[in-house]
Amino acid sequence: EDYNRKFELANQYFDAGKYSQSIALYEQVYQRFPKQSEGEVSYFRIGKAYYMSNDYYMGGYFLGQFTARFPFSAKVEEATFLSAMCSVHQSPSYSLDQTDTELAINSLQQFIDRFPNSDLVDTSNVIMDRLRFKLETKSFEAVKLYARTMNYRAAVTSAEIFISNYPVSTFKEEASYLLVNNSYLLYKNSIESKKLERTAQTLERYRTFVTEFPTSKYVKSLKSIADEMEKQLVILENLEAEK
Amino acid sequence: QEDSLKIVAEEDTLSLPEATKPNSQISIGGGIELDYANPVEYTIGPINIEGAEGYDPNAIRLVAGLRQGQKITIPGQQISDAISNLWKEGLFSDVQIFADKEIAGVIYLTIQVAPRPKLSKYRFTGINKRQADKIREQIELFTGKTISENLVYKTKAKIIGYFREEGYSAAKVNIKRIPDEIMMNSEVFLIECDRGKKVKIKKINIIGNESVKSGKLRRAMKDTKQMAIWRIFKSSKFTESAYSRDKIAMLNKFNAVGLRDAKIVKDSVYMVNDKHLMIDITIDEGEKYYFGDITWIGNTKFRSTYLDTILGIKPGDIYNKQLLEERLRMSQDGRDISSLYMDRGYLFFDVTPVETDFTDNRISYEIRIREGKEARVGTIFIRGNTKTNDHVILREIRTRPGDLFSRNDIIRTQRELAQLGYFNEQAFQVNPMPDPQKGTVDIEYVVEEKSSDQIELSGGYGGRNLVTDRPMVIGTLGLTFNNFSVRKLFTGGAWSPLPSGDGQRLSLRGQTNGKYFQAYNFSFTEPWLGGKKPNSLTVYMSHTLLGNGYLKRNAKYEGISITGAGVVMGRRKKWPDDYFSESFELSYQYYDVNNYGSLFPDLPVGYSNDISFKYTIQRSSVSSPIYPQSGSVITLSGKTTLPYSTWEGIDDYSSISSQDRFKYLEYYKIKFGAEWYFPLSKDQKLVLKTRVGMGYMGAYNSSKGISPFERYYLGGSGITGMNQIGGREVIALRGYDDNMLSSSAGDPIATKYTMELRYPISLNPSATFFVLAFAEAGNSYPSFKRFNPLDVKRSVGAGVRIFLPMFGMLGIDYGFGFDKLSPWASGYNGNSDTSIQQKGYFGKLTFTIGMNLGEL
């Protein structure tokens, strides 16, 4: 059993992109020299080979383990980054469970904290923004769903939560529009005793909207709502006063 | 002065090489002068590891936290840390660090360790293999485990504890440690066990109890039982832990009748011989107490009188602390004060009963209520949906942002998510996460995806081809995707293995045995058409062909072909309540009959168009679709064609050819079915299902008559497929042969009653399995004159059902029929009648495929 030969062969396979063959050999080499430099290289390359062959589950395992087993290795930076990238690749579409996305954001953040001078910090930041945008989209889609299914109160509440969670979101204009619009629809479908309060709320939300988005394409349609609300407010306040 | 004191203090922890103590820590030598008052900084040179055979030297350096090139202060914290880190690993019985030499500020260190012995294997004597296996589960021994005195002691204690719990009070255990000759520095444990005799409780004597009978007290002691002949399932062993638990349980029985001072004044456990022991318990009952006045404080939402009613405790009632607690916080029937508030959104509700007065053994209470804010739902989180898209789940969830928190809504949501069929019902989790500051509660729903697709692939060998007189092969291929996504059909990567997650249903099915029989079905359902409201749309197409085996161009060909298509719109209703749903269906069927008088005596040759409209209203509140444990399903449907005869202007159709008479089919059909599920056992597993069904098909013009198609065929398994030909309504009645209760051309009226007792063996979603016993009765009638809902044919029997996600529901029943069939039945004087006449019953094995096929 010539392990040196195996190691060389494994390196050749790895360089040629034949990852599954190289994994099999590297595993034998690592078993033989778990503490030597051949073992270190093998272990790293097993993880990287899985990563390159799109097996991010196994890749994430080996690369994550690598940083724990060889904390002083020169490859730790790359392994940490690639292990985070495995989580990134496993993050599914925004409409599914985002546990992996949150994991990926955390791993990238840990990478940046640990290697603040790495060349990969910029890349990591870009990827993290993309991942956060997923969570943002997921949240906004829920607002849209409640609006579409005519659950006005749910749309109002979820839009408010969305705006407070993502104050600089690209969806903010649309979310604010949904907030005003559903606030109005909620008023429309209210019992008499709640109308006054909801009229006032709708007007207040409308004013916030026009202040923040004076040139929005929604201003025109919301303006007519606001006009109606102004009139209603006067009528309702008079009614209230009579009581 | 102070300096010298310091040195002495340090020397206790650090010692010099010539005075190495056992477990000593650091020795600095090699000619290095140490001045404890003036620590010096060195650079670490190579670190030598000694005595660590079988350990990786690098790992030891790593654990010690010492690295070549590192700066180190001696004396200083780093060395102490290194030692304590190595100690913490628990692998060594001795750790020392020496400085070998010092050259130009570089210090050469040696870490010397003495590894603890390791366990190579262990074995038992004095007990059999089965007991040894049980003990293995309890003790945490494995090959390679580091041995310490504590481990030996702990293991011994655990084994003795195990024997005691098994009732061997006198068990003895000894662990012999033998050095292993094969492996260096390792030992073999020889665990010698002597269980001694099993000790049983001969009698439990209870003295001093007047208000509660001794028998009741003994029953209250769950795991401490005296010997009795009928005690087969529970042994009368004695264990200390169970005994102390049971004493408390016994005293609770006194508390329940107002004796809250009751106590055990003396109890003794003593051996009467080497196998038996006795327990004597002496009780002092104390005085009897009653509830006094109960006043409420802090309630604004409900009146005190209403709370009194819910509490259900009146002044003068026998004092029972446990009852009071139950009524305030957790009652089995859900009628308690906390539930009252919680169900109305008062999630931060709190209640404290305070004893205020205590005269004449009457205890008065002031019940303090803190209603708190009404909690509103914040964000809804969904976890675990790795396949199903958020919107499919979110639109079903009844707790929406801004709503008042309601426990009832959560329960409904859980039920409705289960009904989607995409998730493992047993793995649902709902985690409300309240935020008392904001008065909101975020709710997290955790689901676990399961496979909801079904595949049916079968080949069979059966029947006889009339032409070739050979048995025929029948093949079926059916695919049902319950969580399909049309949207993703052309998205790359979505095919894994199929585009899924939008909750659409796609079903494809083909069945054939060549020329004799062919059936093709296609259907597609979008449950939320337009995404606004739960209005479903289904389109379907089908084509069926049944013949006698000859080709269509052969003169001897007899057969029928049916081609149909339809559209169904379904919607959920909010009124009368939101368990209701309704559907509208428009369908078209084209029948082409070729010399098939044997099946359709009314239309042996010809074609027929059936354009019909159907309305169905249903109320369904069953707890789960596969194994309902409670709830009911009630369905009423009406189906009609246009009444062509009213404007055709023909009074007497007898002179008209059957082709012209049935060119456009004309009939109406009314069906009613209701089923209820009653949980009979406490765990809701044993369930009684009762079902009533009735169907009636009528003609708009008695001269024109009813349709030759669409009629009821009662009896047997109710399996569709080949039997269902010609728009037949095939209805199961176990214990009789297939279709034999009806006229050979089918009947327009049918009725059926069923009672089924079900018990699940496994509720695991990957294979739900239950057994059932049934009693049912039914009949079909050729005309209204013959109709008599009490003239039914009875049967009883038993069966099993298994639900496999990939195959759907499969079942086998064996039933016994007891009644001779009606004179119009095609099975009149047939198999079953003969058997019933001779033996008094007719036995029949029936197979079922599918959930609700063949029901009225």
Side-chain angles (χ1 to χ4, degrees):
Chain A
E1 294 281 322
D2 187 351
Y3 282 92
N4 287 329
R5 177 84 192 104
K6 280 186 179 174
F7 185 59
E8 270 171 37
L9 207 59
N11 287 338
Q12 279 168 24
Y13 279 131
F14 184 85
D15 293 335
K18 291 179 181 169
Y19 296 115
S20 57
Q21 286 100 320
S22 74
I23 289 170
L25 288 172
Y26 279 136
E27 266 174 355
Q28 293 179 31
V29 175
Y30 174 73
Q31 295 294 337
R32 183 72 182 79
F33 309 109
K35 295 292 166 189
Q36 277 84 331
S37 68
E38 288 94 332
E40 184 181 319
V41 171
S42 298
Y43 204 84
F44 175 75
R45 288 197 168 179
I46 292 170
K48 188 155 180 182
Y50 276 121
Y51 178 84
M52 296 305 285
S53 44
N54 301 338
D55 187 344
Y56 302 114
Y57 182 79
M58 292 299 282
Y61 172 79
F62 278 98
L63 292 164
Q65 282 288 306
F66 179 82
T67 55
R69 288 189 190 192
F70 303 97
F72 303 113
S73 166
K75 287 284 184 191
V76 165
E77 181 183 329
E78 190 181 349
T80 312
F81 179 74
L82 287 179
S83 138
M85 282 309 288
C86 285
S87 308
V88 173
H89 282 289
Q90 278 182 293
S91 155
S93 147
Y94 69 84
S95 62
L96 299 174
D97 186 356
Q98 294 299 301
T99 307
D100 283 321
T101 310
E102 284 155 18
L103 199 75
I105 293 176
N106 284 337
S107 326
L108 285 171
Q109 188 58 56
Q110 277 169 18
F111 171 75
I112 295 174
D113 292 347
R114 196 163 159 201
F115 304 101
N117 302 318
S118 167
D119 295 343
L120 293 163
V121 165
D122 288 343
T123 318
S124 302
N125 277 321
V126 171
I127 295 167
M128 274 165 75
D129 285 346
R130 212 182 68 211
L131 294 173
R132 289 204 190 97
F133 184 68
K134 260 191 196 181
L135 299 180
E136 194 178 313
T137 311
K138 186 187 188 74
S139 221
F140 182 58
E141 284 296 319
V143 180
K144 278 183 14 191
L145 177 88
Y146 288 126
R148 194 167 63 233
T149 52
M150 296 180 289
N151 288 297
Y152 310 120
R153 185 167 51 207
V156 167
T157 312
S158 58
E160 277 180 331
I161 295 174
F162 176 80
I163 293 166
S164 84
N165 283 351
Y166 301 98
V168 288
S169 168
T170 46
F171 300 122
K172 192 176 181 186
E173 182 182 337
E174 212 176 329
S176 308
Y177 163 71
L178 288 174
L179 175 63
V180 184
N181 195 33
N182 281 281
S183 183
Y184 168 70
L185 291 167
L186 181 61
Y187 147 81
K188 273 278 197 192
N189 292 282
S190 295
I191 51 166
E192 289 302 322
S193 62
K194 298 245 171 169
K195 281 198 166 172
L196 178 61
E197 183 195 347
R198 288 181 181 164
T199 311
Q201 276 175 347
T202 309
L203 274 171
E204 193 191 319
R205 285 166 184 154
Y206 166 74
R207 283 176 201 130
T208 316
F209 183 85
V210 283
T211 319
E212 194 165 358
F213 308 103
T215 57
S216 166
K217 61 176 174 182
Y218 297 116
V219 166
K220 210 179 149 196
S221 71
L222 290 183
K223 180 79 173 72
S224 60
I225 288 175
D227 291 344
E228 187 190 335
M229 292 287 92
E230 302 268 17
K231 280 179 208 151
Q232 278 298 317
L233 192 65
V234 178
I235 298 167
L236 289 167
E237 272 172 347
N238 286 341
L239 273 173
E240 189 72 10
E242 277 170 34
K243 278 183 211 161
Chain B
Q1 275 269 314
E2 241 181 71
D3 281 357
S4 65
L5 267 175
K6 241 182 199 166
I7 294 164
V8 176
E10 293 276 353
E11 266 178 351
D12 268 352
T13 51
L14 304 181
S15 57
L16 299 164
E18 50 275 3
T20 312
K21 286 191 265 173
N23 297 343
S24 72
Q25 302 190 330
I26 184 166
S27 310
I28 302 292
I32 304 166
E33 299 273 328
L34 280 181
D35 182 353
Y36 289 103
N38 296 307
V40 182
E41 195 180 70
Y42 300 96
T43 304
I44 301 181
I47 304 167
N48 184 27
I49 309 289
E50 269 176 25
E53 284 82 6
Y55 291 96
D56 173 22
N58 265 327
I60 292 176
R61 290 184 195 111
L62 201 65
V63 171
L66 299 175
R67 214 152 29 96
Q68 189 168 349
Q70 201 183 333
K71 297 266 183 255
I72 191 167
T73 314
I74 293 177
Q77 191 62 34
Q78 281 133 304
I79 294 285
S80 315
D81 284 350
I83 290 165
S84 75
N85 284 343
L86 286 167
W87 264 112
K88 269 189 222 150
E89 291 294 301
L91 298 168
F92 311 111
S93 57
D94 190 19
V95 179
Q96 300 185 43
I97 299 180
F98 302 100
D100 293 334
K101 55 187 172 189
E102 187 252 308
I103 301 167
V106 175
I107 192 161
Y108 289 66
L109 295 178
T110 293
I111 302 178
Q112 193 181 63
V113 292
R116 282 205 169 122
K118 287 194 173 174
L119 183 68
S120 67
K121 58 189 172 192
Y122 64 99
R123 57 175 196 270
F124 296 95
T125 60
I127 49 171
N128 64 29
K129 195 178 168 297
R130 204 179 56 83
Q131 288 158 340
D133 285 343
K134 282 211 162 163
I135 293 174
R136 262 178 239 275
E137 286 171 18
Q138 311 253 327
I139 56 177
E140 290 143 9
L141 290 187
F142 53 85
T143 304
K145 183 150 184 152
T146 311
I147 299 171
S148 63
E149 278 307 315
N150 186 32
L151 178 79
V152 178
Y153 177 78
K154 245 169 58 188
T155 305
K156 199 167 146 180
K158 268 189 189 155
I159 299 172
I160 289 176
Y162 169 80
F163 283 130
R164 290 230 171 115
E165 283 296 308
E166 292 293 297
Y168 298 98
S169 313
K172 288 192 195 87
V173 174
N174 182 34
I175 299 182
K176 259 192 192 154
R177 298 169 61 175
I178 306 161
D180 193 336
E181 281 150 26
I182 305 159
M183 260 170 46
M184 214 181 56
N185 197 24
S186 57
E187 292 179 2
V188 177
F189 279 7
L190 182 63
I191 304 173
E192 298 167 332
C193 305
D194 177 12
R195 305 193 294 183
K197 290 222 171 76
K198 192 160 193 161
V199 178
K200 288 188 170 183
I201 303 166
K202 195 170 167 91
K203 208 160 168 24
I204 303 171
N205 296 312
I206 302 170
I207 309 142
N209 55 318
E210 283 167 10
S211 309
V212 188
K213 284 195 182 119
S214 296
K216 199 172 176 186
L217 294 173
R218 287 196 198 103
R219 273 198 300 281
M221 302 179 77
K222 272 187 107 167
D223 298 311
T224 310
K225 300 281 186 192
Q226 62 184 20
M227 281 162 68
I229 322 160
W230 62 83
R231 190 148 288 131
I232 312 162
F233 298 113
K234 209 147 204 167
S235 69
S236 43
K237 67 188 179 192
F238 176 82
T239 67
E240 196 67 47
S241 57
Y243 179 56
S244 45
R245 265 201 317 274
D246 286 340
K247 278 196 283 192
I248 295 164
M250 191 185 78
L251 281 178
N252 280 338
K253 287 282 159 202
F254 289 100
N255 294 341
V257 292
L259 297 163
R260 73 165 186 173
D261 290 346
K263 57 177 186 278
I264 295 172
V265 285
K266 196 179 89 183
D267 70 306
S268 48
V269 180
Y270 54 96
M271 305 290 289
V272 278
N273 53 43
D274 60 351
K275 273 190 192 164
H276 296 105
L277 56 77
M278 296 270 266
I279 302 176
D280 291 349
I281 301 172
T282 313
I283 281 160
D284 176 11
E285 288 195 339
E287 284 189 77
K288 199 157 185 145
Y289 294 88
Y290 302 89
F291 277 111
D293 295 330
I294 293 170
T295 48
W296 301 87
I297 282 188
N299 52 317
T300 60
K301 176 87 183 165
F302 300 104
R303 266 173 233 224
S304 299
T305 48
Y306 182 63
L307 294 178
D308 280 338
T309 324
I310 297 290
L311 190 70
I313 295 172
K314 291 187 293 295
D317 282 0
I318 287 170
Y319 179 79
N320 184 347
K321 184 80 196 275
Q322 203 185 337
L323 181 74
L324 179 72
E325 283 294 323
E326 262 180 33
R327 288 295 181 183
L328 287 179
R329 296 207 170 89
M330 251 320 272
S331 173
Q332 284 288 336
D333 56 8
R335 260 176 64 93
D336 54 86
I337 304 290
S338 294
S339 301
L340 186 73
Y341 275 96
M342 297 279 192
D343 284 348
R344 282 163 184 78
Y346 290 91
L347 194 61
F348 310 112
F349 164 85
D350 187 41
V351 60
T352 342
V354 180
E355 290 179 22
T356 47
D357 189 37
F358 196 96
T359 38
D360 302 336
N361 288 348
R362 289 165 71 94
I363 303 165
S364 294
Y365 270 99
E366 185 179 278
I367 299 177
R368 294 177 186 164
I369 288 176
R370 202 164 50 81
E371 291 181 340
K373 255 195 206 167
E374 281 176 285
R376 291 203 175 259
V377 177
T379 309
I380 305 293
F381 297 103
I382 302 164
R383 294 270 173 205
N385 55 327
T386 50
K387 197 169 106 183
T388 308
N389 289 316
D390 278 351
H391 72 270
V392 175
I393 304 167
L394 211 53
R395 67 195 183 189
E396 302 292 341
I397 290 179
R398 283 170 179 272
T399 55
R400 300 190 186 93
D403 289 355
L404 282 181
F405 178 83
S406 151
R407 203 158 56 172
N408 190 37
D409 279 348
I410 290 184
I411 294 165
R412 274 291 288 277
T413 301
Q414 232 171 333
R415 190 182 73 94
E416 283 166 5
L417 288 179
Q419 254 156 9
L420 290 176
Y422 310 148
F423 307 115
N424 179 352
E425 288 169 38
Q426 312 294 316
F428 272 126
Q429 275 182 55
V430 184
N431 305 322
M433 299 175 287
D435 180 345
Q437 244 84 56
K438 286 197 276 180
T440 61
V441 52
D442 293 348
I443 304 175
E444 181 185 66
Y445 290 88
V446 185
V447 297
E448 185 187 294
E449 302 263 4
K450 69 171 184 188
S451 165
S452 54
D453 300 334
Q454 286 171 10
I455 183 162
E456 186 190 341
L457 181 66
S458 65
Y461 209 56
R464 280 200 168 263
N465 187 321
L466 294 177
V467 184
T468 56
D469 198 36
R470 286 208 204 102
M472 298 177 299
V473 177
I474 180 160
T476 307
L477 174 63
L479 298 168
T480 304
F481 309 113
N482 281 309
N483 196 355
F484 197 71
S485 173
V486 172
R487 191 168 54 101
K488 290 193 201 152
L489 263 179
F490 304 106
T491 316
W495 287 79
S496 58
L498 274 166
S500 63
D502 278 347
Q504 294 161 337
R505 185 173 183 277
L506 178 73
S507 159
L508 298 162
R509 196 163 183 277
Q511 194 176 29
T512 181
N513 59 5
K515 284 170 282 186
Y516 210 72
F517 170 72
Q518 290 171 30
Y520 307 99
N521 296 293
F522 159 84
S523 88
F524 173 77
T525 304
E526 160 58 58
W528 281 64
L529 188 67
K532 266 189 139 170
K533 281 185 167 180
N535 297 338
S536 72
L537 176 79
T538 304
V539 289
Y540 64 84
M541 272 173 267
S542 69
H543 179 70
T544 323
L545 204 72
L546 179 72
N548 60 351
Y550 288 101
L551 286 175
K552 221 171 177 175
R553 57 174 183 271
N554 194 306
K556 287 181 189 163
Y557 175 74
E558 293 176 14
I560 178 172
S561 87
I562 306 164
T563 311
V567 187
V568 190
M569 292 271 296
R571 52 179 224 188
R572 292 184 218 170
K573 288 175 71 82
K574 292 241 157 106
W575 189 88
D577 69 21
D578 54 8
Y579 289 111
F580 276 89
S581 63
E582 62 183 356
S583 77
F584 306 87
E585 178 176 352
L586 186 66
S587 72
Y588 172 71
Q589 306 263 1
Y590 178 77
Y591 299 92
D592 186 4
V593 189
N594 255 306
N595 300 321
Y596 223 5
S598 55
L599 241 74
F600 304 104
D602 292 343
L603 183 71
V605 184
Y607 65 91
S608 200
N609 295 289
D610 180 355
I611 304 162
S612 64
F613 175 75
K614 186 177 174 187
Y615 175 76
T616 308
I617 182 157
Q618 186 180 61
R619 184 185 189 276
S620 169
S621 60
V622 289
S623 58
S624 132
I626 292 162
Y627 189 79
Q629 282 155 310
S630 61
S632 63
V633 184
I634 298 163
T635 313
L636 177 68
S637 74
K639 184 176 178 182
T640 182
T641 63
L642 290 174
Y644 304 99
S645 56
T646 49
W647 61 76
E648 275 175 342
I650 301 165
D651 293 332
D652 183 9
Y653 280 87
S654 56
S655 57
I656 308 259
S657 75
S658 55
Q659 171 62 72
D660 288 340
R661 216 171 113 201
F662 294 123
K663 188 173 174 186
Y664 289 98
L665 291 180
E666 179 179 325
Y667 62 90
Y668 64 90
K669 218 169 161 182
I670 298 163
K671 253 168 89 174
F672 171 77
E675 61 187 47
W676 292 269
Y677 295 88
F678 304 104
L680 297 182
S681 61
K682 235 182 187 172
D683 58 1
Q684 301 230 328
K685 278 189 164 172
L686 182 67
V687 173
L688 176 70
K689 171 193 171 176
T690 58
R691 194 185 156 88
V692 180
M694 267 178 212
Y696 174 69
M697 176 158 84
Y700 285 110
N701 182 315
S702 57
S703 164
K704 195 172 180 179
I706 57 164
S707 155
F709 310 106
E710 292 273 334
R711 296 183 190 175
Y712 298 108
Y713 291 79
L714 191 66
S717 62
I719 268 196
T720 49
M722 271 175 84
N723 292 328
Q724 208 188 7
I725 199 74
R728 286 176 171 197
E729 290 234 27
V730 178
I731 294 148
L733 187 66
R734 292 164 283 192
Y736 295 94
D737 279 327
D738 282 5
N739 305 339
M740 284 302 157
L741 272 76
S742 304
S743 318
S744 51
D747 285 324
I749 308 169
T751 173
K752 187 183 161 189
Y753 319 104
T754 308
M755 276 172 88
E756 223 171 73
L757 206 56
R758 300 165 154 204
Y759 190 79
I761 306 297
S762 156
L763 285 177
N764 183 337
S766 61
T768 309
F769 183 60
F770 64 92
V771 293
L772 60 91
F774 66 86
E776 61 186 2
N779 205 359
S780 71
Y781 315 88
S783 66
F784 210 75
K785 261 184 275 170
R786 300 258 174 75
F787 174 62
N788 174 5
L790 297 178
D791 172 20
V792 287
K793 312 302 168 195
R794 295 161 299 170
S795 70
V796 299
V800 295
R801 292 282 180 282
I802 181 158
F803 180 87
L804 299 168
M806 285 294 274
F807 298 97
M809 189 73 90
L810 307 168
I812 302 178
D813 295 298
Y814 198 84
F816 297 97
F818 294 112
D819 291 310
K820 288 180 70 184
L821 304 182
S822 306
W824 58 80
S826 58
Y828 182 60
N829 282 338
N831 270 344
S832 64
D833 279 3
T834 321
S835 172
I836 287 164
Q837 202 142 34
Q838 281 170 2
K839 296 187 277 187
Y841 64 87
F842 173 67
K844 171 83 182 163
L845 187 71
T846 46
F847 295 91
T848 331
I849 301 173
M851 296 267 275
N852 288 314
L853 292 177
E855 286 294 353
L856 250 180

